[in-house]
């Protein structure tokens, strides 16, 4: 028994030392971190470098890793826990706040980071957004179009729609519509003519839904942006074949596809198609 007790004592001592040393290390690390933070803050005061992106209404914050940002319409508030950056304007008078746009959480963000050629959503645009969900991307679109523009955000799910509605209370340019995008006649009295339709409804007949909405609300020569999820249209076919079929469907419904862009590596088996909408050809003749 004695020997056993001594053994235990030995163990205790061992642990004790271990813990103390551990603490010492932790303290050391803590100090290091604090110093680091101090330096970081110092740099921050010099100003975050934010440059305009080639697409209007979007900006790039320059740093050790560049990120896509939009000018926050509601300074001091994040919509979905994203980071906010404050930069001074040229005359050093006003501080402007930007929100970081995470391409992994947004199809449109991924398209912009991925180098989309034309971006019809710009300051002052009127946008119909189908499949708004809880409004993560919608909030950035709201930043892009600014106070002069409007985003009509349609979402069928009541739960997501609730988040969307709460978010739009703070942003005057969002009109939340909790309704089925398959039945545009149900919300036709809420929406005027729009310049752009952005669609992210993961439905097999998405192309039909979009062109149906376009026939109600999209002006002639307006733009359509569709995010296509391959597995949702046809989970057995190859993604490329699915995209091609969807583009064909758009062509049949009076759209002229302009470009197609994969959303890899941010969204697997997704593509974004940009098309111009022209209603009937009779008007032009």
């Amino acid at each position: 028994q004695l020997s056993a007790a001594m053994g235990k004592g030995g163990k205790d001592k061992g642990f004790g030392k271990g813990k103390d040393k551990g603490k010492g290390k932790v303290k050391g690390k803590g100090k290091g971190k604090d110093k680091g933070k101090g330096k970081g803050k110092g740099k921050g005061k010099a100003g975050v470098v934010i440059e305009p992106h080639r697409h209007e209404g979007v900006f790039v914050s320059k740093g050790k890793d560049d990120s896509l940002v939009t000018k926050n319409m509601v300074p001091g508030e994040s919509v979905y826990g994203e980071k906010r950056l404050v930069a001074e304007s040229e005359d050093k008078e006003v501080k402007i706040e930007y929100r970081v746009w995470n391409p992994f959480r947004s199809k449109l963000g991924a398209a912009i980071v991925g180098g989309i050629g034309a971006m019809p959503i710009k300051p002052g645009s009127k946008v119909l957004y189908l499949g708004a969900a809880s409004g993560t991307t919608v909030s950035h679109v709201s930043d892009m179009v600014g106070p002069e523009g409007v985003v009509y955000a349609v979402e069928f799910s009541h739960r997501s729609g609730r988040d969307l509605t709460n978010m739009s209370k703070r942003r005057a340019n969002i009109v939340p519509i909790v309704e089925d995008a398959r039945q545009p006649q149900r919300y036709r009295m809420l929406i005027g003519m729009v310049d752009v339709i952005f669609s992210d409804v993961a439905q097999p007949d998405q192309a039909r839904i979009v062109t149906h909405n376009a026939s109600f609300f999209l002006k002639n020569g307006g733009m359509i942006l569709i995010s296509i999820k391959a597995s949702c249209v046809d989970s057995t076919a190859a993604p490329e074949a699915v995209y091609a079929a969807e583009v064909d469907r758009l062509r049949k419904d009076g759209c002229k596809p302009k470009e197609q862009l994969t959303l890899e590596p941010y969204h697997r088996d997704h593509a974004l198609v940009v098309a111009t909408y022209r209603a009937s050809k009779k008007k032009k003749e």
Side-chain angles (χ1 to χ4, degrees):
Q1 277 183 339
L2 262 177
S3 60
M6 274 172 76
K8 274 182 191 165
K11 272 185 192 164
D12 283 340
K13 274 182 195 166
F15 277 128
K17 276 181 193 165
K19 273 183 191 164
D20 284 336
K21 273 186 189 162
K23 274 181 193 163
K25 273 183 192 165
V26 168
K27 273 183 192 165
K29 273 185 191 163
K31 277 178 193 163
K33 270 187 189 162
D34 286 338
K35 275 182 193 164
K37 273 183 190 161
K39 277 180 192 163
K41 275 180 192 160
K43 273 184 190 162
K45 278 176 189 163
V48 185
V49 180
I50 291 187
E51 296 178 353
H53 192 274
R54 65 189 170 92
H55 299 308
E56 249 186 303
V58 192
F59 301 85
V60 179
S61 89
K62 296 283 183 186
K64 65 174 191 288
D65 43 355
D66 296 1
S67 50
L68 196 67
V69 296
T70 54
K71 197 177 285 184
N72 194 359
M73 264 190 82
V74 191
E77 284 193 19
S78 289
V79 173
Y80 54 97
E82 72 281 13
K83 275 189 185 161
R84 302 193 305 274
L85 308 168
V86 177
E88 288 178 339
S89 58
E90 271 77 62
D91 49 5
K92 304 268 172 148
E93 294 289 312
V94 207
K95 284 200 160 71
I96 305 171
E97 190 175 86
Y98 296 88
R99 295 187 307 128
V100 174
W101 194 349
N102 180 356
F104 287 96
R105 294 194 53 175
S106 162
K107 312 287 187 316
L108 191 62
I112 294 173
V113 174
I116 187 170
M119 175 46 64
I121 299 172
K122 50 182 181 285
S125 298
K126 292 181 171 53
V127 182
L128 170 58
Y129 192 116
L130 305 175
S134 15
T136 45
T137 305
V138 174
S139 69
H140 287 289
V141 174
S142 146
D143 285 346
M144 279 167 83
V145 300
E148 301 295 309
V150 187
V151 187
Y152 300 102
V154 180
E155 171 55 46
F156 190 36
S157 147
H158 280 267
R159 174 171 273 173
S160 300
R162 193 169 57 221
D163 296 342
L164 179 67
T165 312
N166 284 332
M167 188 258 297
S168 54
K169 283 175 187 167
R170 310 280 305 147
R171 292 170 172 268
N173 64 357
I174 299 178
V175 179
I177 300 168
V178 183
E179 196 54 86
D180 188 357
R182 289 167 197 276
Q183 268 122 7
Q185 61 278 5
R186 285 198 188 166
Y187 48 84
R188 63 167 192 267
M189 55 285 182
L190 300 174
I191 300 185
M193 292 303 274
V194 298
D195 309 314
V196 190
I197 293 183
F198 178 87
S199 168
D200 184 16
V201 282
Q203 293 297 329
D205 57 343
Q206 174 169 239
R208 189 194 61 78
I209 294 173
V210 173
T211 45
H212 190 36
N213 276 276
S215 67
F216 277 81
F217 310 116
L218 189 57
K219 64 176 193 187
N220 279 3
M223 299 298 277
I224 291 179
L225 296 141
I226 301 193
S227 152
I228 302 169
K229 179 179 176 185
S231 62
C232 150
V233 180
D234 182 353
S235 53
T236 58
E240 285 70 31
V242 174
Y243 306 146
E246 287 292 287
V247 168
D248 259 8
R249 233 165 262 159
L250 285 173
R251 272 207 189 89
K252 284 194 184 86
D253 290 330
C255 298
K256 198 174 185 181
K258 287 275 181 225
E259 62 176 313
Q260 178 184 329
L261 181 81
T262 171
L263 299 185
E264 308 268 357
Y266 307 105
H267 302 274
R268 193 158 157 232
D269 291 343
H270 281 73
L272 189 103
V273 174
V274 183
T276 315
Y277 181 73
R278 51 179 200 289
S280 52
K281 285 179 183 171
K282 285 172 190 170
K283 289 178 186 172
K284 286 184 182 173
E285 284 168 15

